[in-house]
Amino acid sequence: MTVARIERLSGALAEARPLREVALYELVRVGARGLLGEVIRVDGDRAVIQVYEDTMGLCVGEAVSPTGAPLEVMLGPGLLGSVVDGVGRPLQRLADATGDFIRPGTAVDTLDPDRKWAFTPLVASGQRVSAGDVLGTVEERPGFVHRILVPPGTDGAVERIRRGEFRVTEAMARLAGGRDLFLSHRWSVRNPRPIARRLSSRRPFLTGQRVCDFLFPAAEGGAVAVPGGFGTGKTVIEQSLARHAAADVVVYVGCGERGNEMAEVLEEFPRLTDPRSGRSLMDRTVLVVNTSNMPVVAREASVYVGIAIAEYYRDQGYRVALMADSLSRWAEALREIAARLQEMPGEEGYPTYLGNRLGKFYERAGLVRALGEPSREGAVTLISAISPPGGDFSEPVTQASLRVAGALWALDPALAHQRQFPAVDWEVSYSLEAGALTPWFAEHVGPDWAACRSRTLELLQRERELREIAGLVGPEALQDGDRLLLEAARIVRETVLAQSAYDPNDANSPPDKTYRLARLADALRSTALAALDAGATFESLNLAAAGAALAAVRRAAATDLDARTAEAEAAVAALAVPPGQAGQVTP
Amino acid sequence: MLLPRRYRGAHAAAGPLLYVRPTPNAALGEWVTIRVPGQPDRRGQVIDAGADVSVVQVLEDTLGLAPATADVTLTGEAATAVVGRELLGRVLTGVGQPADGLPPPVGEAVRPIWAAPLNAVRRERPRDFIETGVSAIDGMNTLVRGQKLPVFSGPGLPGLELAAQIVEGARAPRGEAFAVVFVGIGITARETDMFLERFERSGARERSVLYLNETRDPTIERLLAPRVALAQAEFLAFEAGMHVLVVIADVTHYCEALREIATAREEIPGRRGYPGYLYTDLAGIFERAGIVRDRSGSLTQIPIVTMPDDDITHPIPDLTGYITEGQLVLSRDLHRRGVYPPIDVLPSLSRLMGAGIGADRTRAGHREWADQLYATYARGREARLMATIVGVASLPEADRRALDFAERFERELVGQGETRRDIDETFAMGWRLLDALPREDLTRIPEAVWAARHQETS
Ligand SMILES: Nc1ncnc2c1ncn2[C@@H]1O[C@H](COP(=O)(O)OP(=O)(O)OP(=O)(O)O)[C@@H](O)[C@H]1O
Ligand SMILES: [Mg+2]
């Protein structure tokens, strides 16, 4: 057989021939250094290949060899706590192989081939198994049970299965007919993993961010779009969720963003504990990293590597959160490749299939019944940051995301400039799930949750109208009732919605704390309004003291929360002026 | 390694491009030399390699280049730069040739200018405070070693002056001097002279290398200049263990060159004619800032971006902001009112500030101090806006206080002029402004910070 050779090189694309037998999306090794590439077009015996690694120095005439498989990631124990590049290679082992700077053409597998894992079988010889069945378990991290599944598309009777220590590539079971089963299997990342069925979600994905949980809640298994101009706080939200959100596993895809942000995660996560499990945060985290200076083609792949890993843990019955920062960089990578292929550009130069691809990606989020026995429910919740050019949401990536996302947390540069963080714009943001989640909040947090939420939204809406008027006539010219609403809204913004990611007491707000603050602010407004009705004047109300007491609840350590809450309740109650005394307060 | 391959005559030429054929083993990115009798030698780079025909982008002007008579050599080598400590004190062109009348530098090593990306797991998180001597930076938007913090300037605003001031004033935590790598891209002779003169005066010359791509130099050299300079900066930082400040002026000229060349290559234009890969291209420059684990130096970047039309949503500042770790935004309004440096702290931000400040770095209570100044200033600015509609008299008392504060903040804290302030002076200045306000206005200053501060001053 003749060896295929490079005939042309342009940017990240290579053309090679003869390659008559290759399939679309088949992985190939390009050139003497064996750079990873993927076939994206076949025309007769000529194939166009997108190369995942830097093509500088690649030479016409160098050989290209097909691998017979698409881009796959190796799924098995050892993923948790690891940091992989856009095509699933662990960065630590790349560093061991080539030093501080990444050199193209290094082949390392996603999972450590030498590490041994203690496997406990859950099925017996002779038993019939099919795709998704739990064959047994491995303790991947202290206390974290990794379920070893029959790979999709596989079934048969177990001929033998062994307890013991195995490497990820050693067979611990065999099916009748001779098929070996391992602790790991490969999965083609562009394919969604099969499930038994989708379930509709009635449980919130608790983020620990008050503005999100209270005003614009996401459902477990839902998808949220988080668009915002630069510096509006997308990454801080994604990282806060990676720390505090109620998830068993977090897959964080740094897609075309900053290396220093990854360094921050890598430095902090191992030292922080996940309060739910008591283990290091890194133990529930998988990082997929393609920083903005790494090859663009791998950026396009990185989100698929991330979601394939997320689906794998979902299939084991876990609640997985996938953070994608930022999906715009993925879309731009797609655009760059399409431009090189001279495809007809659509809106803003993006290929016309952008919406379709994006939709398919979002569709991989969901709450599902996993394939196989014993029965398991798992979820992938997707939180994707979007970086619209100029912060303008009318652009294609934001718009395509809005068509499929269940919630929008729109970040506003004006709020960010006021240092109102998280800068979630309450006028633009929404949650399509809020209604379906109401019963859960009523049952698990408090009966008044939904009503309190609508009153808060209403107050914020009213504030906006009043501010417009105040801007014309001056705040002093407003009536007392309106001045009170402005003040009450300010207190809502500063104590309920604002949340500092850097204050250890404030960074995470469990639903109970969120509810307390929301109710206090709501009571503050209604009590003060009643006092006005009873004859008090705006000036006579000690709103500053009540506001400060609420702020103290916001900043309270968990151990002080009850005491601060009691004080705040007292301060709010003190706003009620007995009717008879109203005349005495102000002359 | 490829051997040089020589061609007598190129197949075709168009604009800055030369087509050579047949090229059965051309390498992508390899360096090309072009000789035409009676003309100075030209250089180029293979930007599209094909067995049949390859495309060479010529660095120099192609005026008078007859493809048929050109003697073209594909060198088999990548674009490289000479780097080393002995380059300190030198003035070079954008491609590293002498521009100071001295012989070409020998250097300590030759490095490719298209660097491999730093592996993210080998990055050290930046956290060492750099005292620039500028209050609006040190106090409000703290710079740390390994950060990339651009200055968003506007036509006619003193972005370059501010960069020069930062470079002169910068002090590291333990007093280590910074080496400076300055890349002038398409800047005017006047601007270059200003920079040179200030460096001379402050004694910064011996610890700096200047790469100057002047307006008259070939466009393509503008694309190489920052990479040549960064190859040198990386050598100083990561191999010679120095702390390096890189000033890139002006990123806007760089982007315009990129657009010009993309157009010449007939690529599909993106927003406002800039290529769709502008983000990736700029990231390839800015992401070279940082600190590498277990190596002692650091590379900090201060790129200058001139916002066309003062428009921060223009693709150049927009994409820059999406890559860098914050921005220092200059204001035309402050400039008109004679405030220097005219830094508008509201849209400015240093994203790495948190890691670089606090008790054992700058001072305890720094965060709260800055938050309070920021909040009161923001309120004053809002009040100023409102006052233009409803009049100062109809503002509430507290708004009027904030309004006065904003005025003083701009004149006294931000508008420090050319003098250098150390961090203690910056704090003292901020407190002085806050002291003019009643305690109840200072909602961002918790009791503990307040008490600590009063203990100190009494
Ligand atoms: N919840 C928060 N609490 C405190 N500060 C915040 C918060 N959110 C954002 N910030 C501030 O805003 C800055 C920018 O946030 P971030 O880096 O998340 O922006 P971004 O939207 O990801 O920007 P880019 O698109 O450029 O990556 C942070 O460095 C921090 O100073
Ligand atoms: Mg970000």
Side-chain angles (χ1 to χ4, degrees):
Chain A
M1 215 190 104
T2 40
V3 177
R5 302 204 171 271
I6 300 174
E7 294 228 316
R8 199 177 155 220
L9 287 158
S10 169
L13 296 187
E15 275 177 42
R17 61 178 285 271
L19 278 174
R20 199 174 279 284
E21 311 282 82
V22 291
L24 274 181
Y25 297 108
E26 180 170 340
L27 214 57
V28 293
R29 290 274 172 191
V30 181
R33 287 173 297 165
L35 310 196
L36 271 181
E38 188 182 43
V39 174
I40 51 172
R41 196 178 265 183
V42 186
D43 180 7
D45 68 347
R46 180 184 304 270
V48 179
I49 297 152
Q50 57 176 355
V51 185
Y52 289 129
E53 307 185 75
D54 190 3
T55 50
M56 278 279 187
L58 213 54
C59 199
V60 172
E62 286 186 45
V64 171
S65 50
T67 65
L71 175 65
E72 292 173 327
V73 63
M74 205 173 171
L75 300 170
L79 286 168
L80 293 180
S82 67
V83 186
V84 301
D85 74 359
V87 289
R89 295 177 297 190
L91 284 175
Q92 187 54 56
R93 281 197 291 129
L94 281 184
D96 295 343
T98 70
D100 294 340
F101 295 88
I102 294 176
R103 243 165 248 132
T106 317
V108 285
D109 241 324
T110 309
L111 300 175
D112 185 345
D114 300 321
R115 169 119 190 224
K116 287 197 162 197
W117 302 91
F119 173 70
T120 312
L122 288 179
V123 298
S125 303
Q127 203 170 322
R128 268 205 81 81
V129 293
S130 59
D133 286 352
V134 179
L135 286 168
T137 60
V138 156
E139 192 174 22
E140 182 173 3
R141 293 269 160 167
F144 187 96
V145 176
H146 187 114
R147 302 191 175 96
I148 306 296
L149 310 176
V150 177
T154 308
D155 61 8
V158 177
E159 187 180 288
R160 65 152 204 263
I161 184 161
R162 287 186 298 155
R163 171 189 298 273
E165 304 240 319
F166 299 93
R167 296 190 175 85
V168 287
T169 49
E170 286 172 326
M172 75 305 166
R174 169 170 288 183
L175 298 183
R179 166 140 194 196
D180 281 334
L181 297 177
F182 305 87
L183 292 185
S184 67
H185 64 268
R186 293 181 178 276
W187 184 256
S188 151
V189 298
R190 293 184 194 277
N191 276 339
R193 287 175 64 87
I195 54 169
R197 64 189 168 88
R198 283 183 165 268
L199 305 171
S200 70
S201 177
R202 307 233 171 274
R203 241 185 2 208
F205 170 71
L206 293 172
T207 65
Q209 301 295 303
R210 282 185 293 273
V211 62
C212 305
D213 290 342
F214 183 51
L215 295 185
F216 311 109
E220 205 158 77
V224 185
V226 192
F230 67 79
T232 51
K234 299 179 292 296
T235 303
V236 172
I237 288 191
E238 296 271 13
Q239 289 196 7
S240 297
L241 265 55
R243 283 163 210 238
H244 306 299
D248 302 314
V249 173
V250 172
V251 180
Y252 193 108
V253 186
C255 176
E257 295 291 312
R258 303 172 183 81
N260 280 337
E261 291 172 348
M262 294 298 116
E264 185 182 336
V265 171
L266 287 176
E267 182 192 87
E268 293 200 345
F269 278 34
R271 291 184 307 165
L272 299 171
T273 39
D274 170 12
R276 265 165 298 270
S277 68
R279 293 189 298 269
S280 145
L281 259 191
M282 205 59 204
D283 280 2
R284 71 166 196 180
T285 310
V286 184
L287 284 175
V288 181
V289 175
N290 176 285
T291 53
S292 57
N293 56 342
M294 287 165 82
V296 161
V297 179
R299 187 163 313 158
E300 196 274 327
S302 65
V303 302
Y304 295 109
V305 167
I307 204 150
I309 294 172
E311 286 174 339
Y312 174 63
Y313 282 96
R314 172 203 68 191
D315 291 349
Q316 294 175 43
Y318 288 114
R319 301 177 300 169
V320 186
L322 182 82
M323 309 292 161
D325 185 11
S326 134
L327 224 47
S328 295
R329 307 298 167 222
W330 166 83
E332 286 163 9
L334 206 64
R335 176 172 71 186
E336 235 174 286
I337 299 157
R340 288 257 180 225
L341 287 172
Q342 314 231 301
E343 288 174 348
M344 180 66 104
E347 221 182 322
E348 305 248 344
Y350 287 106
T352 46
Y353 46 80
L354 171 75
N356 187 359
R357 291 257 177 108
L358 199 77
K360 285 198 175 125
F361 176 71
Y362 273 89
E363 276 292 296
R364 290 174 74 169
L367 177 72
V368 308
R369 162 105 37 240
L371 218 52
E373 296 295 327
S375 151
R376 300 172 309 276
E377 243 181 50
V380 173
T381 308
L382 170 63
I383 312 289
S384 42
I386 297 162
S387 319
D392 177 358
F393 293 174
S394 66
E395 57 92 37
V397 184
T398 311
Q399 289 305 313
S401 298
L402 291 189
R403 282 198 287 277
V404 280
L408 166 68
W409 302 337
L411 303 185
D412 176 24
L415 292 177
H417 285 176
Q418 292 160 29
R419 301 286 203 262
Q420 167 81 36
F421 288 121
V424 174
D425 182 348
W426 48 86
E427 284 166 26
V428 180
S429 302
Y430 59 78
S431 164
L432 301 177
E433 335 259 17
L437 298 173
T438 296
W440 189 95
F441 282 112
E443 185 185 329
H444 294 89
V445 191
D448 199 29
W449 178 279
C452 187
R453 173 177 181 268
S454 5
R455 286 194 297 271
T456 305
L457 281 170
E458 209 172 292
L459 174 64
L460 292 167
Q461 171 62 31
R462 182 77 188 124
E463 181 197 26
R464 186 194 130 120
E465 296 158 13
L466 287 174
R467 276 162 80 102
E468 270 167 25
I469 301 170
L472 294 174
V473 300
E476 303 281 77
L478 294 180
Q479 293 187 339
D480 274 10
D482 290 341
R483 287 172 73 190
L484 169 65
L485 289 186
L486 276 181
E487 197 51 23
R490 190 185 60 76
I491 290 170
V492 166
R493 281 191 280 114
E494 288 183 5
T495 56
V496 184
L497 306 188
Q499 197 172 342
S500 168
Y502 305 118
D503 177 342
N505 293 337
D506 195 29
N508 177 33
S509 187
D512 165 62
K513 180 174 178 181
T514 299
Y515 187 50
R516 281 182 200 219
L517 274 167
R519 292 230 305 169
L520 279 167
D522 189 45
L524 181 149
R525 179 193 47 84
S526 58
T527 313
L529 269 182
L532 283 190
D533 282 346
T537 61
F538 175 72
E539 273 83 15
S540 70
L541 296 172
N542 198 352
L543 290 169
L550 259 71
V553 177
R554 178 187 154 195
R555 306 250 178 212
T559 46
D560 284 343
L561 194 58
D562 287 336
R564 295 290 94 80
T565 308
E567 284 164 19
E569 279 165 351
V572 169
L575 292 170
V577 183
Q581 293 174 16
Q584 295 164 18
V585 178
T586 45
Chain B
M1 198 70 257
L2 281 170
L3 295 173
R5 284 131 296 150
R6 233 174 118 183
Y7 292 83
R8 298 206 177 279
H11 172 67
L17 306 180
L18 203 62
Y19 297 79
V20 183
R21 71 191 301 180
T23 43
N25 53 5
L28 195 62
E30 76 176 302
W31 215 229
V32 180
T33 54
I34 303 132
R35 291 219 157 102
V36 176
Q39 296 181 13
D41 286 359
R42 293 182 175 89
R43 292 149 306 156
Q45 194 178 15
V46 173
I47 57 165
D48 196 323
D52 178 30
V53 57
S54 287
V55 185
V56 175
Q57 176 159 286
V58 183
L59 244 60
E60 286 81 6
D61 202 345
T62 46
L63 187 77
L65 174 66
T69 62
D71 183 344
V72 181
T73 307
L74 308 190
T75 64
E77 281 164 20
T80 54
V82 170
V83 297
R85 277 164 285 201
E86 64 162 271
L87 271 64
L88 291 170
R90 297 292 309 263
V91 182
L92 306 167
T93 68
V95 287
Q97 260 128 31
D100 49 10
L102 297 172
V106 178
E108 296 172 68
V110 176
R111 288 290 135 86
I113 67 167
W114 264 274
L118 174 57
N119 187 326
V121 300
R122 298 299 303 156
R123 263 186 198 274
E124 181 87 43
R125 184 179 176 194
R127 53 155 47 93
D128 287 332
F129 169 55
I130 298 178
E131 188 186 82
T132 65
V134 179
S135 295
I137 301 173
D138 295 347
M140 309 293 294
N141 295 288
T142 316
L143 174 69
V144 299
R145 282 204 292 223
Q147 184 172 12
K148 38 194 180 294
L149 186 64
V151 176
F152 284 8
S153 185
L157 295 181
L160 203 58
E161 284 81 349
L162 177 61
Q165 192 174 349
I166 294 171
V167 162
E168 287 166 11
R171 304 273 185 282
R174 283 162 294 281
E176 307 101 318
F178 282 97
V180 178
V181 174
F182 176 85
V183 209
I185 306 171
I187 63 173
T188 62
R190 187 191 60 79
E191 290 169 316
T192 307
D193 290 346
M194 185 276 292
F195 221 88
L196 276 172
E197 192 199 314
R198 288 188 64 145
F199 268 34
E200 209 74 69
R201 233 186 317 133
S202 64
R205 257 309 277 285
E206 297 88 79
R207 47 185 175 88
S208 39
V209 197
L210 280 74
Y211 292 90
L212 300 176
N213 167 279
E214 297 184 38
T215 322
R216 61 182 145 81
D217 291 335
T219 311
I220 295 165
E221 282 195 14
R222 306 217 210 302
L223 304 190
L224 301 179
R227 297 185 162 88
V228 170
L230 282 163
Q232 163 71 359
E234 280 169 344
F235 179 85
L236 292 178
F238 304 136
E239 292 181 59
M242 304 173 87
H243 296 290
V244 187
L245 276 180
V246 180
V247 176
I248 306 173
D250 183 318
V251 172
T252 303
H253 296 154
Y254 172 87
C255 296
E256 280 163 1
L258 198 69
R259 175 169 69 176
E260 189 183 324
I261 285 156
T263 313
R265 290 185 189 172
E266 299 183 358
E267 292 172 350
I268 303 166
R271 233 175 16 126
R272 302 217 197 170
Y274 292 92
Y277 51 79
L278 182 57
Y279 175 85
T280 306
D281 190 278
L282 286 176
I285 294 173
F286 298 147
E287 275 290 305
R288 287 169 81 168
I291 306 176
V292 184
R293 283 201 189 180
D294 310 321
R295 300 194 190 205
S296 50
S298 64
L299 200 165
T300 309
Q301 286 188 20
I302 305 177
I304 317 284
V305 178
T306 299
M307 300 183 281
D309 224 4
D310 290 351
D311 177 9
I312 200 168
T313 67
H314 184 281
I316 297 171
D318 189 49
L319 294 179
T320 300
Y322 271 124
I323 304 163
T324 54
E325 285 136 351
Q327 65 279 339
L328 300 167
V329 183
L330 302 192
S331 144
R332 191 159 303 275
D333 176 52
L334 289 177
H335 180 63
R336 274 204 203 102
R337 286 161 40 213
V339 173
Y340 177 85
I343 299 175
D344 184 353
V345 301
L346 295 190
S348 298
L349 172 71
S350 164
R351 303 197 196 189
L352 304 185
M353 176 168 176
I357 63 172
D360 43 355
R361 302 183 176 277
T362 52
R363 179 184 270 228
H366 185 158
R367 165 66 64 193
E368 292 82 358
W369 172 93
D371 281 353
Q372 185 62 63
L373 288 170
Y374 188 96
T376 313
Y377 178 59
R379 182 165 187 180
R381 284 270 297 264
E382 214 172 298
R384 186 186 286 162
L385 205 64
M386 197 175 290
T388 59
I389 304 167
V390 301
V392 178
S394 41
L395 291 183
E397 197 64 44
D399 280 352
R400 261 181 281 167
R401 286 196 296 269
L403 186 62
D404 291 340
F405 171 90
E407 208 65 43
R408 287 190 63 195
F409 179 83
E410 288 169 355
R411 299 245 162 244
E412 297 172 32
L413 190 131
V414 176
Q416 69 188 84
E418 292 279 348
T419 45
R420 185 179 193 284
R421 275 197 203 131
D422 68 24
I423 187 74
D424 289 332
E425 290 168 318
T426 292
F427 278 119
M429 164 67 67
W431 279 118
R432 221 164 27 245
L433 297 178
L434 293 175
D435 281 342
L437 301 169
R439 175 71 178 99
E440 72 257 28
D441 280 7
L442 308 181
T443 51
R444 309 289 170 117
I445 307 281
E447 235 12 86
V449 174
W450 181 255
R453 190 249 162 174
H454 279 269
Q455 223 158 34
E456 217 170 88
T457 45
S458 62

